[in-house]
């Protein structure tokens, strides 16, 4: 590990996290072990971050680099930096340090939260899909080859395999098993998240964008929340994009099939947890529309780590649902296989080729080629447009129209313990303003990993006090539709995003509503990490959040889509209304990149619905 990183971890330990010498040494070891196993590009990015941070104090009038500042000077620096660019840099450095400290056993013990929640399945665990990895170079033939095993790829593969077609599913990542749930959460993020969990949309503010890189795709590492596509969204797609085939009768039938297959049901009170109960209480007192969130689940016991591989196989992601059924009908699932190119001959897709990877995701000399009558790309809104362009397919809108689901967290300090880490991670929803593009969800990610994305505010003593009160903290995520904002995918690791002023105002208004919710539930204070507006103790103070510069927003985002937009207009949409890529025969798309506009709600079963739509069109073509 770079010496100055170690120095920074040691210097910030006591002042920022109230750590004793045991906790400091443990945090340094946690960070060093984790850092040493990151992918080389991620290590380079973090190294650059720390290098920039090293000289940050000199831009604030201090005469020493960051690693040589005293504890008092570090606290002054954190307070005095008030422009959005340097504040973002300080926030990232603080978040990385917090991730290390809150992933250490001494800190977890001192603060009273479980570092590694674990629960064995009762009886016989639900069967996982079985995967293959080529032992060397390989060539195989299928009727349909599907690139990607997430919500879209798995659902389409299951449908076509059920029709009797020979289907091959190709996945870049590894398979997560029950054995992996004995590993620390940081290790799970490193292995099963794309770029070790450090994917980011570049802009101001920058936006963390976690995505899965594993068999089952992002369904394995998401919260599992399921909403049907709102009717007003489908009507917009018909009106603006000519998607009249997605009529309500058809989509309702698709949704019923999906929900039955995944056992989608509302979160039960027994696993709602204190965090969900706080949100429900506030919504009841305010008269806002609200309900438990719907999830694909069986046997949930509320371990609270849904986004880091469910230890009970209770969250029915694609490894446990669509892929095993596809396999029962003869589909083959290949892991550790990175597709580099779609094979195109005489204007027709005839297969894919790529590189076999090691279990750690490193390329090997072995190559594979899977030939097929039809090729379906389902790698997601980032990977699919990159693969299309790499394969020589040209359309001016491929990779553009990137829509995200910008999200910001608001915390509340409650008078009684909440124990937010107990129960379902994302449990309860306030749906009063869905038609306006705002969804508030009770979300409390594991403290050690969630801190990296949504740091608690303050420096020094006040920050330590909040951490010591972590059992009293409740949290929500405000998901905002980006009706005007847009991004662009340039490569698998570089994409940009511009948050429009009006969409930013929607985020800020959502924060105010979340604050009202918490005060109605009895909160003593609400918190954000926006400089100058970190702690609000009265409802009338919430309007301060409306006046902030949106560049200060600490955003993460989920549900990327739109980069291979489907629709009737050839100039606007690279993919037609049935999922066929324009300009190439027998090449299809079945993932979130099809989604023309924001879904407003969590889109997992929207993606699955679109995959069934594409699968049925492909079946009609082949039969």
């Amino acid at each position: 590990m770079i010496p100055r990183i170690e120095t920074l971890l040691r210097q910030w330990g006591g002042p920022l996290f109230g750590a004793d010498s045991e906790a400091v040494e443990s945090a340094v070891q946690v960070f060093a072990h984790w850092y040493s196993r990151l992918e080389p590009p991620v290590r380079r990015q973090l190294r650059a971050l720390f290098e920039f941070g090293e000289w940050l104090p000199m831009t604030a009038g201090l005469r020493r680099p960051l690693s040589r500042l005293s504890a008092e000077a570090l606290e002054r620096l954190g307070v005095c930096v008030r422009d959005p660019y340097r504040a973002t840099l300080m926030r990232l450095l603080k978040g990385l340090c917090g991730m290390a400290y809150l992933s250490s056993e001494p800190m977890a013990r001192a603060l009273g939260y479980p570092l590694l929640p674990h629960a064995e399945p009762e009886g016989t665990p639900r069967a996982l899909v079985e995967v293959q990895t080529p032992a060397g170079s390989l060539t195989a033939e299928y009727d349909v080859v599907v690139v990607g095993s997430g919500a879209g790829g798995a659902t389409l593969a299951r449908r076509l395999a059920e029709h009797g077609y020979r289907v091959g599913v190709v996945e870049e990542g590894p398979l997560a098993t029950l054995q992996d749930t004995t590993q620390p959460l940081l290790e799970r993020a490193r292995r099963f998240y794309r770029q070790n969990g450090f994917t980011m949309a570049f802009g101001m503010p920058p936006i963390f964008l976690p995505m899965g890189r594993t068999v089952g795709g992002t369904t394995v590492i998401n919260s599992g929340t399921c909403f049907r596509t709102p009717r007003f969204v489908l009507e917009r797609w018909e009106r603006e994009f000519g998607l009249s085939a997605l009529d309500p009768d058809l989509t309702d039938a698709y949704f019923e099939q999906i929900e039955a297959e995944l056992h989608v049901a509302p979160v039960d009170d027994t696993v709602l947890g204190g965090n969900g109960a706080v949100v429900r209480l506030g919504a009841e007192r305010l008269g806002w529309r609200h309900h438990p969130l719907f999830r694909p689940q069986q046997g949930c016991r509320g371990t609270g780590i849904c986004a880091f591989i469910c230890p009970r196989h209770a969250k029915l992601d694609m490894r446990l649902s669509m892929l095993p059924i596809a396999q029962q009908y003869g589909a083959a699932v290949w892991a550790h296989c990175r597709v580099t190119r779609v094979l195109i001959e005489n204007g027709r897709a005839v297969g894919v080729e790529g590189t076999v990877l090691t279990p750690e995701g490193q390329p090997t000399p072995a190559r594979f080629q899977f030939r097929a009558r039809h090729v379906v790309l389902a790698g997601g809104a980032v990977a699919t447009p990159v693969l299309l362009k790499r394969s020589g397919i040209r359309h001016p809108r491929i990779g553009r129209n990137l829509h995200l689901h910008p999200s910001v967290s608001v915390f509340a300090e409650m008078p009684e313990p909440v124990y937010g880490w107990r129960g379902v991670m994302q449990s309860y929803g306030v749906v009063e303003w869905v038609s306006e593009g705002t969804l508030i969800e009770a979300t409390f990610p594991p403290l050690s990993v969630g801190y990296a994305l949504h740091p608690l505010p303050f420096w020094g003593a006040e920050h330590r006090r909040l951490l010591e009160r972590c059992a009293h903290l409740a949290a929500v995520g405000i998901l905002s539709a980006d009706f005007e904002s847009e991004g662009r995918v340039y490569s698998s690791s570089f994409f940009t995003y511009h948050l429009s002023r009006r969409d930013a105002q929607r985020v800020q208004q959502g924060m105010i509503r979340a604050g009202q919710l918490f005060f109605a539930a009895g909160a003593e204070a609400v918190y954000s990490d926006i400089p100058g507006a970190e702690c609000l103790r009265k409802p009338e103070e919430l309007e301060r959040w409306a006046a902030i510069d949106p560049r200060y927003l600490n955003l993460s985002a989920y549900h990327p889509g739109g980069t291979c937009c489907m629709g009737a207009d050839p100039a606007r949409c690279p993919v037609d209304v049935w999922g066929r890529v324009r300009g190439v025969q027998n090449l299809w798309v079945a993932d979130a990149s099809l989604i023309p506009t924001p879904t407003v709600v969590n889109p997992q079963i929207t993606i699955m619905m679109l995959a069934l739509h594409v699968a049925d069109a492909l079946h009609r073509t082949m039969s």
Side-chain angles (χ1 to χ4, degrees), residues 104-353:
S104 69
E105 181 61 41
M107 285 296 293
R109 187 170 61 246
L111 296 177
Y113 66 90
L115 190 59
L116 187 63
H118 188 69
E120 294 291 344
E122 296 173 358
T124 303
R126 192 178 178 98
L128 282 172
V129 63
E130 296 180 4
V131 302
Q132 307 173 69
T133 300
S137 293
L138 173 72
T139 299
E141 292 190 5
Y142 298 99
D143 293 319
V144 181
V145 64
V146 183
V147 181
S149 62
T155 302
L156 178 137
R158 178 265 168 89
R159 184 73 140 205
L160 294 178
E162 194 173 20
H163 282 308
Y165 299 110
R166 294 174 300 135
V167 177
V169 180
V170 191
E171 170 59 49
E172 178 182 356
L175 175 68
T177 68
L178 281 177
Q179 286 69 36
D180 293 304
T181 64
T182 64
Q183 297 297 314
L185 300 187
L186 279 182
E187 174 66 7
R188 301 184 209 180
R190 184 191 70 80
R191 289 194 62 211
F192 302 115
Y193 281 63
R194 189 164 296 280
Q195 289 184 250
N196 306 138
F198 280 91
T199 40
M200 178 182 290
F202 291 91
M204 184 49 66
I207 304 177
F208 279 104
L209 182 60
M211 295 179 285
R213 189 188 70 95
T214 180
V215 175
T218 300
T219 69
V220 180
I221 54 91
N222 68 6
S223 62
T225 300
C226 292
F227 281 92
R228 293 189 180 190
T229 319
R231 186 61 54 88
F232 70 88
V233 173
L234 293 173
E235 289 172 352
R236 180 184 178 188
W237 293 358
E238 179 180 5
R239 183 174 63 253
E240 297 183 18
F241 294 86
L243 298 182
S244 56
L246 297 177
D247 66 82
D249 289 341
L250 177 69
T251 56
D252 284 349
Y254 283 154
F255 285 132
E256 288 170 6
Q257 295 173 39
I258 293 164
E259 290 164 353
E261 193 72 61
L262 299 186
H263 300 272
V264 172
V267 173
D268 191 78
D269 277 358
T270 58
V271 292
L272 182 66
N275 195 53
V278 167
V279 172
R280 178 171 60 187
L281 177 62
E284 286 175 347
R285 289 178 173 175
L286 292 169
W288 295 346
R289 284 175 292 161
H290 59 94
H291 59 72
L293 294 175
F294 284 68
R295 306 174 69 250
Q297 57 191 13
Q298 269 193 318
C300 176
R301 292 294 181 271
T303 53
I305 53 173
C306 313
F308 299 91
I309 319 300
C310 175
R312 294 182 53 83
H313 282 179
K315 187 188 75 173
L316 301 185
D317 57 61
M318 297 300 102
R319 302 170 304 154
L320 299 156
S321 53
M322 294 297 178
L323 287 174
I325 297 174
Q327 200 161 58
Q328 291 173 13
Y329 285 103
V333 181
W334 297 92
H336 304 294
C337 291
R338 176 180 293 158
V339 174
T340 57
R341 180 168 78 98
V342 178
L343 300 173
I344 300 174
E345 298 175 0
N346 299 317
R348 183 188 301 270
V350 296
V352 299
E353 66 177 14

Side-chain angles (χ1 to χ4, degrees), residues 224-527:
T225 300
C226 292
F227 281 92
R228 293 189 180 190
T229 319
R231 186 61 54 88
F232 70 88
V233 173
L234 293 173
E235 289 172 352
R236 180 184 178 188
W237 293 358
E238 179 180 5
R239 183 174 63 253
E240 297 183 18
F241 294 86
L243 298 182
S244 56
L246 297 177
D247 66 82
D249 289 341
L250 177 69
T251 56
D252 284 349
Y254 283 154
F255 285 132
E256 288 170 6
Q257 295 173 39
I258 293 164
E259 290 164 353
E261 193 72 61
L262 299 186
H263 300 272
V264 172
V267 173
D268 191 78
D269 277 358
T270 58
V271 292
L272 182 66
N275 195 53
V278 167
V279 172
R280 178 171 60 187
L281 177 62
E284 286 175 347
R285 289 178 173 175
L286 292 169
W288 295 346
R289 284 175 292 161
H290 59 94
H291 59 72
L293 294 175
F294 284 68
R295 306 174 69 250
Q297 57 191 13
Q298 269 193 318
C300 176
R301 292 294 181 271
T303 53
I305 53 173
C306 313
F308 299 91
I309 319 300
C310 175
R312 294 182 53 83
H313 282 179
K315 187 188 75 173
L316 301 185
D317 57 61
M318 297 300 102
R319 302 170 304 154
L320 299 156
S321 53
M322 294 297 178
L323 287 174
I325 297 174
Q327 200 161 58
Q328 291 173 13
Y329 285 103
V333 181
W334 297 92
H336 304 294
C337 291
R338 176 180 293 158
V339 174
T340 57
R341 180 168 78 98
V342 178
L343 300 173
I344 300 174
E345 298 175 0
N346 299 317
R348 183 188 301 270
V350 296
V352 299
E353 66 177 14
T355 303
V356 180
L357 306 178
T358 68
E360 287 298 313
Q362 298 305 307
T364 71
R367 304 280 297 173
F368 64 85
Q369 186 177 104
F370 297 134
R371 300 186 69 85
R373 294 164 57 192
H374 292 263
V375 175
V376 181
L377 303 186
V382 172
T384 289
V386 171
L387 185 54
L388 284 172
K389 288 191 283 188
R390 190 184 296 140
S391 304
I393 298 165
R394 298 290 178 259
H395 187 286
R397 297 298 295 174
I398 290 177
R400 294 179 181 268
N401 192 49
L402 173 64
H403 286 282
L404 306 177
H405 220 156
S407 174
V408 66
S409 284
V410 171
F411 298 92
E413 187 175 1
M414 306 303 295
E416 300 296 329
V418 175
Y419 303 110
W421 51 81
R422 298 178 184 173
V424 171
M425 192 185 88
Q426 192 170 93
S427 56
Y428 212 84
V430 177
V431 296
E432 181 74 18
W433 302 280
V434 165
S435 62
E436 299 175 20
T438 298
L439 176 62
I440 300 175
E441 296 178 332
T443 306
F444 202 103
L447 197 60
S448 56
V449 183
Y451 186 102
L453 301 182
H454 302 294
L456 294 176
F458 299 122
W459 300 81
E462 184 61 18
H463 180 268
R464 293 197 300 272
R465 188 196 71 81
L466 264 183
L467 275 179
E468 291 165 359
R469 295 272 292 175
C470 64
H472 290 254
L473 295 180
V476 296
I478 299 103
L479 294 175
S480 299
D482 55 348
F483 290 132
E484 297 181 357
S485 306
E486 184 177 317
R488 182 177 180 181
V489 174
Y490 291 90
S491 72
S492 58
S493 59
F494 183 69
F495 26 100
T496 59
Y497 184 81
H498 172 70
L499 180 67
S500 76
R501 178 61 190 172
R502 291 179 65 177
D503 286 339
Q505 288 172 341
R506 185 178 298 106
V507 175
Q508 292 165 250
Q509 183 61 41
M511 294 175 64
I512 292 170
R513 287 165 172 162
Q516 294 170 341
L517 181 85
F518 280 136
F519 280 126
E524 297 174 342
V526 296
Y527 297 94

